[in-house]
């Protein structure tokens, strides 16, 4: 079976994020002065062949930990859906 | 015999000829190592030069560490061989786990191409052996992701073990503890963001990089 996986990678708390800070500084000029704590990140979507959603999650977490995120400065959140095809 | 230095070339590396030229100036015999090679050959030392290995896709250096040559470089380093990563090469070495920490975007959010002054912070590394601590060198940086970051435990270890090799005099990018270069516990693997090869002649503003490259050769063949 194939399971759809979604990995979201964000900078860890405490790691300077000048890109997000710059975006946030631009917001008041657009009238979005009610928006705070903006954070950028990366999103990866892929399909994992696996016997179960749990084993698909384990594989997706391995991939996130070994490649998609650099654990020195990034955290990854992994989610796996129900099978997308048989 | 001239010391042989392997210069690693990934698709997207762009400083290999500058590095080879500067190495020749200090009497070395450079050899290019293609990223698909599985051996560093008879190299006395290995340099991973700057550029944009594999397009810097995903993160700088993230994909380069999967190139076959990196297994050979890791084996060479584990046996005590001198390995120096310059700029993108430093990023590759951190991603490959040969050096701790990571390089993140400059806090200026700018690609920085400028001369910087660094001081030698340790004279015990493959790149700075024999250069007195406190020596100021004018080199140039040329990067977007040049800001060194690591967790508090790693930083404590780097300081306690005298593994910060170079520090910026005037920190240009937000690097933690003004770090411009570090080495591993074995002191034979060094990563630095400034480019010694771009400071290889007074004609181009500085020849201070040759001081580092000479040290690399003398340590490598010692």
């Amino acid at each position: 079976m194939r399971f759809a996986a979604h990995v979201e990678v964000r900078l860890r708390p405490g790691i300077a994020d000048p890109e997000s800070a710059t975006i946030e500084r631009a917001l008041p000029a657009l009238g979005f002065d009610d928006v705070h704590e903006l954070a950028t990140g990366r999103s990866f979507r892929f399909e994992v062949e696996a016997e179960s959603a749990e084993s698909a999650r384990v594989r997706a977490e391995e991939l996130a930990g070994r490649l998609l995120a650099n654990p020195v400065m990034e955290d990854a959140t992994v989610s796996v859906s129900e099978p997308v095809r048989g | 015999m001239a010391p042989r230095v392997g210069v690693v070339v990934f698709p997207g590396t762009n400083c290999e000829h500058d590095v080879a030229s500067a190495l020749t100036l200090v009497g070395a015999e450079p050899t290019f190592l293609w990223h698909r090679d599985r051996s560093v050959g008879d190299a006395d030392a290995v340099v991973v030069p700057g550029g944009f290995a594999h397009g810097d896709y995903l993160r700088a250096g993230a994909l380069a560490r999967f190139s076959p040559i990196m297994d050979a470089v890791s084996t060479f380093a584990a046996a005590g061989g001198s390995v120096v990563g310059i700029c993108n090469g430093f990023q590759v070495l951190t991603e490959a786990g040969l050096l701790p920490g990571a390089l993140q975007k400059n806090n200026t959010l700018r690609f920085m191409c400028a001369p910087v002054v660094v001081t030698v912070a340790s004279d015990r590394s493959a790149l700075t052996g024999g250069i007195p601590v406190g020596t100021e060198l004018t080199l140039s940086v040329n990067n977007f992701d040049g800001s060194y970051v690591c967790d508090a435990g790693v930083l404590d270890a780097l300081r306690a073990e005298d593994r910060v090799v170079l520090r910026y005099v005037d920190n240009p990018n937000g690097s933690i503890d003004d770090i411009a270069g570090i080495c591993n516990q074995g002191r034979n693997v060094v990563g630095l963001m400034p480019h010694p090869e771009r400071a290889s002649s007074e004609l181009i503003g500085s020849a201070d990089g040759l001081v580092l490259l000479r040290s690399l050769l003398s340590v490598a063949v010692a």
Side-chain angles (χ1 to χ4, degrees):
Chain A
M1 287 182 287
R2 282 196 184 183
F3 296 84
H6 179 208
V7 175
E8 191 176 304
V9 174
R10 287 190 294 183
L11 286 174
R12 288 171 59 173
I15 299 290
D17 185 0
E19 187 173 5
S20 299
T22 302
I23 295 170
E24 192 166 328
R25 273 200 305 275
L27 295 181
L30 296 171
F32 288 100
D33 45 13
D34 48 348
V35 173
H36 307 283
E37 300 299 322
L38 183 139
T40 56
R42 274 184 180 229
S43 168
F44 300 87
R45 290 175 192 277
F46 49 91
E47 293 177 8
V48 187
E49 261 179 53
E51 294 298 312
S52 66
E54 189 44 40
S55 54
R57 164 187 298 282
V58 169
R59 289 294 283 164
E61 280 172 354
E62 269 179 42
L63 176 57
R66 285 186 56 197
L67 177 63
L68 302 181
N70 180 337
V72 174
M73 53 185 176
E74 295 168 331
D75 283 329
T77 315
V78 178
S79 56
V80 170
S81 73
E82 288 307 295
V84 288
R85 64 191 75 167
Chain B
M1 199 163 62
R4 291 171 295 261
V5 181
V7 179
V8 178
V9 183
F10 298 99
T13 297
N14 62 17
C15 295
E16 70 272 30
H17 291 284
D18 300 46
V19 167
S21 165
L23 284 168
T24 306
L25 283 177
V26 293
E29 187 182 302
T31 311
F32 293 122
L33 301 170
W34 181 232
H35 80 118
R36 289 217 173 101
D37 291 350
R38 294 183 179 275
S39 158
V40 301
D42 57 0
D44 297 305
V46 169
V47 174
V48 186
F52 300 86
H54 295 280
D56 273 359
Y57 293 147
L58 189 59
R59 291 180 307 277
L63 301 178
R65 80 175 146 123
F66 296 104
S67 285
I69 191 65
M70 288 310 296
D71 284 338
V73 171
S74 297
T75 304
F76 180 74
S82 294
V83 175
V84 174
I86 301 167
C87 195
N88 192 228
F90 185 9
Q91 295 160 344
V92 171
L93 295 181
T94 60
E95 286 281 348
L98 290 175
L99 289 171
L103 283 309
Q104 67 166 153
K105 280 192 184 75
N106 296 329
N107 66 349
T108 56
L109 276 185
R110 283 188 180 156
F111 190 98
M112 305 190 76
C113 181
V116 294
V117 179
V118 297
T119 54
V120 174
S122 170
D123 60 357
R124 297 189 299 136
S125 83
L127 191 64
T128 55
I131 307 174
V133 170
T135 301
E136 291 199 350
L137 303 170
T138 300
L139 307 171
S140 36
V141 289
N142 187 73
N143 63 61
F144 201 135
D145 299 270
S147 183
Y148 183 76
V149 62
C150 62
D151 65 36
V154 169
L155 183 59
D156 287 346
L158 289 176
R159 286 172 173 161
E161 296 164 11
D162 188 29
R163 289 166 51 198
V164 177
V165 169
L166 297 170
R167 280 200 174 86
Y168 299 109
V169 169
D170 186 9
N171 190 336
N173 55 25
S175 279
I176 192 165
D177 199 24
D178 301 329
I179 287 174
I182 58 167
C183 69
N184 67 344
Q185 276 185 315
R187 321 199 76 84
N188 60 311
V189 179
V190 177
L192 74 165
M193 288 314 294
H195 291 257
E197 79 280 9
R198 295 195 185 191
S200 58
S201 164
E202 293 295 347
L203 273 177
I204 54 172
S206 167
D208 290 353
L210 300 182
V211 175
L212 295 170
L213 297 180
R214 278 194 197 101
S215 168
L216 169 66
L217 299 186
S218 64
V219 172
V221 298

